Amino acid sequence: MGKKHRIFYSMIIISALAVVCFVAVLYVIKLNQTISENIIDSISEMAEHDKNTIQNYIEICWDDLWEISERLEGAECKTIADVQDRMELECGSSGFHHLYLLAEDGTVYSHDHMTYDAGSEIVSRTLDFRPYFAGGKEKVFAQMHDKDEGAGLTKESILYGYQLHGMEVGGTEMFALIGTSEISSIQDNIVIDSFIKDGVSRGHSALIDMDGDYIIDVNKKIYLNKSDNLYEHLSESEDSELSNEEVAKRLENRETFGFYHAHAGDKNKELYYFIPFEHDMDLYFALAVNEAVFREQTNTFVTMSMTMLVVCTVIVIAMLLIVMVYQNRTIRTQEKARSQKEFLSNMSHEIRTPLNGLIGVNHLIMAHIDDDAQRGQIKEWLKKSQSTANYLLSLVNDILDLSKLQAGKVDLVSEPLLIGDIIGDISAMQAENIRSRGIEFIIEQEIGWPCIEGDATRIKQILMNIVGNAAKFTLSGGYIKLSVSQERMGETQVMTTYRCEDSGIGMSKEYLTKIFDSFSQEQSKAAEGIKGTGLGMTISKLLTNAMGGTIAVESELDVGSTFTVAIPARIVEDVPDYLKSGSGETAEDAEAPEERGERKPVKVLVAEDVELNAEVLLEILSLEGFETAYAKNGREAIELFRQSEPGEFDVILMDMKMPVMDGCAAAKEIRNMDREDANKIPIFACTANTFQEDRDQAIESGMDDFLMKPIDIPILLKKLGRI
């Protein structure tokens, strides 16, 4: 080959190599740019998602505060003490640690009955809330930095404020309602660590305020009193694309921006990405990612050109997976919101439909009340009205049960019970309903240890939910089989398994994964027209878990479903006499009617501030042969008892929440009277508050028993029959 040809081919090879290198370099540059843009987009989406999650949480807190303010105004409290009582109740049932009312003159009233004058040291230093509302702000979100035990603040707090309009209590104009909670209440809404490799995080999130002070950082550390600052870190960096002044300016302008900077002694730079919160929240969300995350994506393609496309594909897939993860979070949030919207729609239907019937029936009764020819029809309407009212009560109980279970405030009873009695009660309550639908109802029992310790009411509630659902979703000609079996666990424990099998319409595999979720109901043609709140299975699951048991379900469409509930319990060897007799009668209950008739009528003192409730209760007691006396509040009840002869009253029915003086205070004062019957007369608490703390408060005040509103009349009469 001649010299010219060698030069020619060498030029061709060099040119080809140059073109290949140029294309490769261009490809790598474009690929690097594309990868960087994709990662930045992902970072932007991650930051936006986490910021929105926190912002939604803050807006929910504002909504809660607004609802509290509406209830406070609706309560029409006459005195500061009254509104503080109401605030104490609201604080206990909300997510706020403290509630404050801010008066127009700067005076602060707290939920724990403390009053801080406008000029006091605590207000000046810590509780001067007026500056937060500067500029006419209607809603406030801010960080409280100072710690003051005198004001009840022992930890760094988040402040939520809502301006009030036209609220007056005892002649004092109220300016705003304030709620505070610990900063830790928002930290769980942040995905702190990201881009983890070999257990080491190369990305982290943080919350900062407009002054650059960290609120929550990479270690989920809660900063108290501004102990760390963004600008201090930037000042210590060796290389930064933006100065402190430029960063401060962009924060002030509430821009979304990013920049690179390097820590002192660290060769790797970090990308800092900032995104502001909306609605005048003086807060920024920050996401920092190590430059190594970007470099690793490109080095592989430079050193491994032959696998460039493969690595690119892997990166794209990885990026897609990251996007999918955060999209799934958004979808789950949207799905939860949709489920709650459907639940509210169902609840509206479930409540309004019977209310419509109830109002209509009452109208018919009023229209025909004087028509003797319609007396039989009126009785029928009254029965339907009672049935509808009972349904509405069960609906409210379901919602309250769910609320208490989710809050961990459910109270379980541990006492001897007979499993056979539970199954018998379920059969008595459901057999007629099931068989009237043309469904065969089968009960099987293999009970080796009939008496165990547990909560019979809650076990029946679980089984009623399951058997009731089976009845609703099983067609005529099918069957429902309820069986119970036991297996010993050690010397003192037994596992009791309740199994409900039906030949109903069944459930899809997709729905089985969320059957125990709140508000869930399967949407199918077979279930059309079958309404419910979607809470029964959720409550059953939570109750079973609370008792240390398990609940499982197997189902197939058009074949049927099987629910299995297994609950451990302690064996009771010596069955109590009251269970053996099958009756809770006392000696007085078994007393002959003619002996009862010889006694003087039982006289009941009724203390109730709601006139309609009092009128109904007094009339029922009179019809049952009781003598009655009526007090509108606790103070009147005390005076009536004080003026009565010893032994004149046989029992007191005391409403717990009344004006002037509540029932607990009245009960204490009666018990402290210097007269023979003061410590002997039975006092029954009557209240719509059903939490354990309410029961404890009633007992501590000297009351003997607890009647939940709406009062179950047969239970009331049974208790009074024992007096």
Side-chain angles (χ1 to χ4, degrees), residues 629-645:
Y630 172 51
K632 294 181 180 179
N633 53 62
R635 176 57 60 193
E636 285 190 15
I638 291 171
E639 293 306 317
L640 284 174
F641 185 78
R642 193 191 311 275
Q643 295 167 13
S644 68
E645 295 294 329

Side-chain angles (χ1 to χ4, degrees), residues 515-698:
I515 185 174
F516 297 114
D517 293 347
S518 301
F519 322 119
S520 65
Q521 288 180 291
E522 184 165 26
Q523 304 298 322
S524 66
K525 290 185 178 180
E528 284 182 359
I530 302 176
K531 298 296 183 180
T533 62
L535 297 177
M537 288 298 100
T538 307
I539 292 171
S540 298
K541 172 72 170 176
L542 292 172
L543 283 174
T544 302
N545 291 346
M547 290 187 281
T550 60
I551 183 170
V553 57
E554 300 174 1
S555 186
E556 186 176 345
L557 282 173
D558 302 322
V559 175
S561 305
T562 300
F563 285 83
T564 304
V565 178
I567 300 175
R570 193 177 74 84
I571 299 169
V572 178
E573 300 289 354
D574 298 324
V575 182
D577 291 338
Y578 67 87
L579 288 179
K580 290 179 181 177
S581 63
S583 170
E585 275 193 345
T586 65
E588 285 187 335
D589 293 325
E591 194 174 15
E594 59 271 16
E595 293 178 356
R596 291 181 179 176
E598 295 174 0
R599 295 186 175 184
K600 73 177 183 68
V602 174
K603 189 168 184 179
V604 183
L605 172 56
V606 176
E608 168 64 64
D609 62 309
V610 179
E611 185 176 349
L612 178 59
N613 290 347
E615 180 182 350
V616 172
L617 186 55
L618 290 169
E619 182 65 22
I620 290 172
L621 292 174
S622 296
L623 288 174
E624 294 294 330
F626 295 92
E627 291 186 2
T628 60
Y630 172 51
K632 294 181 180 179
N633 53 62
R635 176 57 60 193
E636 285 190 15
I638 291 171
E639 293 306 317
L640 284 174
F641 185 78
R642 193 191 311 275
Q643 295 167 13
S644 68
E645 295 294 329
E648 178 181 341
F649 287 112
D650 298 287
V651 63
I652 300 175
L653 302 182
M654 185 78 75
D655 186 17
M656 287 183 66
K657 299 297 181 183
M658 293 184 290
V660 183
M661 177 180 284
D662 63 46
C664 291
K668 287 180 181 178
E669 190 162 335
I670 289 174
R671 293 302 189 204
N672 290 328
M673 288 184 183
D674 186 17
R675 51 186 284 173
E676 183 181 353
D677 58 347
N679 285 315
K680 295 180 180 179
I681 184 169
I683 304 177
F684 295 168
C686 302
T687 180
N689 296 337
T690 60
F691 292 104
Q692 185 61 41
E693 51 264 34
D694 300 304
R695 294 175 180 267
D696 294 341
Q697 184 181 4

Side-chain angles (χ1 to χ4, degrees), residues 82 92 114 141 177 181 194 235 272 289 354 367 405 432 506 514 570 628 654 701 712:
D82 289 341
M114 298 296 292
F141 172 82
L177 179 64
S181 61
S194 55
S235 299
Y272 267 31
V289 180
L405 283 162
E432 183 178 352
K514 54 184 180 180
R570 193 177 74 84
T628 60
M654 185 78 75
S701 69
D712 189 316

Side-chain angles (χ1 to χ4, degrees), residues 54 60 92 254 274 353 360 453 456 465 517 520 539 543 551 584 595 636 717:
I54 299 171
I60 288 172
R254 306 186 70 83
F274 295 86
T353 298
E453 279 191 358
N465 279 334
D517 293 347
S520 65
I539 292 171
L543 283 174
I551 183 170
E595 293 178 356
E636 285 190 15
L717 295 177

Side-chain angles (χ1 to χ4, degrees), residues 369-387:
I369 193 68
D370 296 322
D371 188 351
D372 291 339
Q374 293 287 332
R375 187 173 299 276
Q377 182 63 58
I378 289 174
K379 287 184 178 180
E380 188 64 30
W381 287 333
L382 286 172
K383 289 180 182 178
K384 291 179 180 179
S385 177
Q386 178 67 27
S387 174

